[in-house]
Structures are given as C-alpha cells and as structure tokens.
Amino acid sequence: MAYKKTEQYDEDVTAGLIKTYKESIDLLGEDSEREGLLKTPERMAKAMQFLTQGYQLDAHAILESAKFHEDVNEMVIVKDIELYSMCEHHMLPFYGKAHIAYIPNGYITGLSKIARVVDVYSRRLQVQERLTHQILDAIKDTLNPQGVAVVIEASHLCMMMRGVQKQNSVTTTSAFSGQFEKNETRSEFMKLISATLH
C-alpha cells in the first residue's frame, strides 16, 4: 500500500503561490524544471500556509473554550513556551520562548490554551514587539485578570543569516498590565521565570 499524506490547503491560494514561487526560483537564476526543484514551489506554498495559519485562528475563542470560574488569585505562570514566527520585514523565521503569567480575577483557563494563544499570533507575519502585546491583550480581554505579564526571548534569522550576521544575539521584549505594573509583582515574575524549579 502506497504512503499517502493528507493535508488540507486552500486550492486557489496554493495554485497562486505555486505560480509565484516557480517564477521566483527562475528569477533567482535556477531552473524550476530540474528534478530537485520540480515540487519545491508546491512545498513552499503549503509551508507558507502552515506558517501563517494563525490568521485563521481566534485567540479569544480558544481561551473561552476552557474558561472556568475559580476563586484563586495567585500568579499562574506558563514559561518556556516554544514559538516560531516569520519576520514580516524579510520573511525569515525568528524563534524562541514565551513566558506568560496572569493573576486570576474569578476565572482561569486551561494551561494549554495559553500556549495555543502564542501559536495564534506567532503563526503570522510578525514583529516580536507586536507579538508580545497581542498575546497580552488576548488574555487580558478574555479573562479580565488582575494582571498579565508576557516576556519573549527570540533569535532572528534576519540578523543571523544576513545584515549584521550576529549569530548569538537574542532579542527580549516584555509587556505588563495591571498588578504586573507594580515593581514587586513584576520582580517576582521575572525571578520565577529565571529560576530552575524542576
């Protein structure tokens, strides 16, 4: 029995991207008809749709799908959430980790939903600064917590592979709301995401 991989992609989008990527390969001086590149435009078309699938997802709906009433008001932290995104300036990847905390105000959400919110916004053409704030705003608007904190650490291939070519550089962005605007709460969060507790 032959191997068959099933994935679903928009046929019109795929066809348009295949044509564009085929032309791009030829413009770069390659032969899009040679054996090794024959299926490359199709693979690129599907890869880009996968890498930008966040446009089809709703972060608020994801959080609402596992929103529970709970009388707790201690900090909830999900740290070291892997993220992969695409720099909108160069269409090159950036990747790293997100550390997210919120202080409930009557409602909590499933822990996996926090990670899914990261995917919703990272699987788009992005800048790290906006990504950080979009994650914070989605949690703040849906759960109405006492505060939200988001810190992202990422390496950008647009800085590593081209331009200044600094392979060891890491960019850190942060956003805080509510209780996390207070130095004491923010310091506790920063200490906890830096600690090795397990």
Side-chain angles (χ1 to χ4, degrees):
M1 193 163 131
Y3 168 74
K4 186 175 181 182
K5 183 177 180 181
T6 57
E7 295 177 340
Q8 292 187 338
Y9 298 97
D10 185 295
E11 289 182 15
D12 292 337
V13 172
T14 302
L17 288 171
I18 288 171
K19 182 176 184 294
T20 300
Y21 286 134
K22 187 177 186 303
E23 291 172 355
S24 298
I25 289 168
D26 290 330
L27 283 169
L28 290 170
E30 257 292 0
D31 177 10
S32 62
E33 295 298 322
R34 74 173 172 84
E35 184 182 14
L37 291 173
L38 271 176
K39 288 194 170 282
T40 298
E42 181 182 351
R43 291 188 195 103
M44 292 173 70
K46 290 178 177 179
M48 286 307 300
Q49 288 177 79
F50 176 81
L51 294 172
T52 58
Q53 63 184 293
Y55 291 117
Q56 316 306 322
L57 302 173
D58 184 335
H60 302 282
I62 287 169
L63 291 168
E64 287 281 2
S65 72
K67 183 177 175 181
F68 310 105
H69 180 74
E70 199 68 48
D71 290 323
V72 294
N73 57 7
E74 302 297 328
M75 193 183 302
V76 177
I77 301 175
V78 184
K79 70 176 192 174
D80 295 334
I81 303 168
E82 295 175 22
L83 71 85
Y84 301 90
S85 194
M86 295 287 285
C87 161
E88 68 181 36
H89 299 144
H90 302 98
M91 294 286 283
L92 288 171
F94 66 92
Y95 62 94
K97 293 179 178 179
H99 314 290
I100 301 171
Y102 71 100
I103 300 173
N105 187 26
Y107 290 95
I108 60 170
T109 191
L111 298 177
S112 68
K113 306 309 177 191
I114 301 291
R116 290 189 189 281
V117 168
V118 173
D119 283 346
V120 168
Y121 294 112
S122 62
R123 296 295 189 183
R124 301 179 181 196
L125 303 183
Q126 272 291 9
V127 295
Q128 185 175 330
E129 297 87 342
R130 181 171 65 238
L131 172 61
T132 307
H133 281 275
Q134 286 177 326
I135 294 167
L136 180 139
D137 289 342
I139 296 168
K140 183 174 75 171
D141 294 346
T142 309
L143 298 180
N144 190 31
Q146 297 178 53
V148 184
V150 179
V151 170
I152 294 177
E153 305 169 274
S155 298
H156 293 247
L157 266 65
C158 57
M159 283 187 67
M160 297 163 71
M161 293 177 66
R162 63 172 306 284
V164 293
Q165 298 180 57
K166 301 301 180 192
Q167 282 76 33
N168 298 311
S169 63
V170 175
T171 301
T172 302
T173 50
S174 63
F176 304 99
S177 74
Q179 291 295 322
F180 288 99
E181 293 176 329
K182 296 179 179 177
N183 285 334
E184 182 181 352
T185 311
R186 185 165 61 243
S187 296
E188 180 186 350
F189 166 69
M190 297 302 287
K191 183 178 178 182
L192 286 168
I193 65 171
S194 302
T196 303
L197 302 175
H198 49 82

